[in-house]
Amino acid sequence: MLTGSELISKVTELQQQNASRTDIVIGCGYVKPDGKAAYVAFYEALIEAKTPQWQKQKEEIETQIEFDDEEQEEQFLELCRNYPQQALEIYYENIGNFYDFEQAYMGEYDNDAHFAEEMVANFSDTQIPSWIVIDYQATATHFDYWEENNFFFQNM
């Protein structure tokens, strides 16, 4: 039985050949033990294959955010694949959208000093600013960022 994009491709191919509904169902491998077409299983698989990924994720991810529009919700669900959900929720509550999230998100750190230490480690030897001090807590005050619940974001 075909599923996902293979199912959609095969259905399209058979439709272009003007195959009957029964031939399409059987041609995609949806056959009952008695040899008849398994229509219910076929159509359930077709619906699943055509459901957008973000909509499937929507059923798995719970959030308290009230999104302004469906586009913001789609973007949230897409970003949840690669970033902590809590960081996304914090960002949305503070900024109101996700347009600059990927540029702004700097990671999760235990405290300001660990954040600053990581940022300084990313400088090349020729880029180290003159204001760098051994005290990473003091160094953190020179970065243009904001923090909430140990999630750090660059001010955009």
Side-chain angles (χ1 to χ4, degrees):
M1 293 189 295
L2 299 176
T3 59
S5 60
E6 291 176 343
L7 175 61
I8 293 172
S9 295
K10 186 67 172 180
V11 168
T12 302
E13 174 189 323
L14 292 171
Q15 285 175 334
Q16 289 172 347
Q17 297 172 3
N18 293 322
S20 69
R21 269 189 261 167
T22 301
D23 289 340
I24 292 172
V25 173
I26 292 172
C28 292
Y30 289 84
V31 184
K32 294 179 183 178
D34 64 2
K36 294 182 179 180
Y39 289 102
V40 173
F42 169 78
Y43 284 112
E44 286 174 348
L46 191 58
I47 289 169
E48 174 71 19
K50 289 184 174 185
T51 303
Q53 184 63 32
W54 68 266
Q55 207 166 13
K56 292 176 192 173
Q57 284 180 292
K58 183 177 180 178
E59 296 166 7
E60 298 168 6
I61 297 175
E62 292 184 31
T63 182
Q64 299 301 317
I65 296 176
E66 293 291 329
F67 293 100
D68 295 334
D69 57 41
E70 193 172 281
E71 180 184 331
Q72 289 294 312
E73 187 172 15
E74 284 179 44
Q75 199 171 14
F76 169 76
L77 293 168
E78 185 68 31
L79 288 166
C80 277
R81 291 174 158 184
N82 300 313
Y83 299 98
Q85 180 177 341
Q86 186 180 4
L88 291 160
E89 290 170 346
I90 289 168
Y91 191 81
Y92 189 81
E93 288 169 7
N94 284 275
I95 304 300
N97 62 58
F98 298 107
Y99 300 128
D100 293 324
F101 175 83
E102 291 180 290
Q103 289 177 316
Y105 183 65
M106 302 185 80
E108 182 177 7
Y109 301 93
D110 294 333
N111 55 48
D112 292 349
H114 287 134
F115 164 72
E117 187 175 359
E118 182 69 27
M119 295 301 106
V120 171
N122 290 328
F123 289 135
S124 73
D125 289 338
T126 59
Q127 291 178 317
I128 297 177
S130 61
W131 45 260
I132 295 294
V133 294
I134 301 292
D135 181 352
Y136 286 109
Q137 187 68 40
T139 300
T141 64
H142 292 279
F143 290 101
D144 188 20
Y145 72 96
W146 57 278
E147 175 272 335
E148 187 172 318
N149 294 344
N150 294 334
F151 293 103
F152 287 73
F153 303 92
Q154 177 179 338
N155 283 318
M156 300 302 290

